[in-house]
Amino acid sequence: MVSEIHTTLKPAKILIIEDEAPSLRMLKRNLTGYGLRVVTASDGQEALASIEEQLPDLILLDINLPRLSGLEVCRRVREWSQVPIIVLSARSEEYQKVEALELGADDYLTKPFGLNELVARIKVALRRSNQQQAEKKEPLLTIDDLTINFAEHRVYLHGQELKLTHQQYELLKYLTQNAGRVITHRSALMKVWGPEYENETQYLHVFIGQLRHKIEPDPSRPHYILTERGLGYRFRSIQPD
């Protein structure tokens, strides 16, 4: 298990943004032990400068930072970069998670958390980022028995083409291109249908149900499209070959 994690993560540079020195030291020591290259920042302004200078492969971002909040850091970074961001926070309220995710965070971990869980989330985020880079060169995505041809807008299950409406295809495309990442109700509605639909969560539930009946082996126990209660949906992470 450890060797697999080392192989997956070793090339990555991680920026840890945390203002509590003991937590920062602990995270740096443990993640360095997994073969990661770790750089750090202790406040929001320093974080923005480090991101521009270091160009990290992934950011671990605390919410409560001096000088500039973690949410504001997230918002500013998303104006020019799609680097994976995992928010770390002692606050577990759903509205806080939704806000961070809608500002562009890829994931959200509530403190305290286990190192194994954090490493697993890092692996998923890096894998998704690498997958997105690969899709720019290769328009074909295969996940288990599901294949999506982005160039031709066609979807296949067990080699058989599925008949999807335009909205169903666009929703599936958005979910799969963000596999492993929580997609909030609002962001999915705005991306697929437009800003006038941002509060139509029931509308989204209906289309998710339709997709599940077309792609899931058992729609009542989803394998692909997972529900993140109170937040939205997460397409299962893509496993490496």
Side-chain angles (χ1 to χ4, degrees), residues 25 84-85 111 151 236 238:
R25 287 194 298 269
I85 298 174
K111 299 177 181 179
R236 65 178 293 269
I238 302 170

Side-chain angles (χ1 to χ4, degrees), residues 126-140:
L126 289 173
R127 189 182 303 136
R128 183 184 66 81
S129 180
N130 292 336
Q131 181 68 36
Q132 287 180 331
Q133 293 300 315
E135 284 169 7
K136 293 178 181 179
K137 303 176 182 178
E138 175 54 64
L140 198 67

Side-chain angles (χ1 to χ4, degrees), residues 157 162-169 171-172 175 193 202-216 219 225 233:
L157 185 65
L162 299 178
K163 300 300 182 183
L164 300 182
T165 67
H166 174 73
Q167 282 83 6
Q168 288 170 351
Y169 171 80
L171 178 58
L172 181 62
L175 290 169
W193 286 276
Q202 188 56 42
Y203 199 73
L204 178 61
H205 296 333
V206 169
F207 275 81
I208 290 291
Q210 293 171 351
L211 274 180
R212 281 174 168 163
H213 276 88
K214 291 188 176 184
I215 71 172
E216 297 284 4
I225 304 174
Y233 299 96

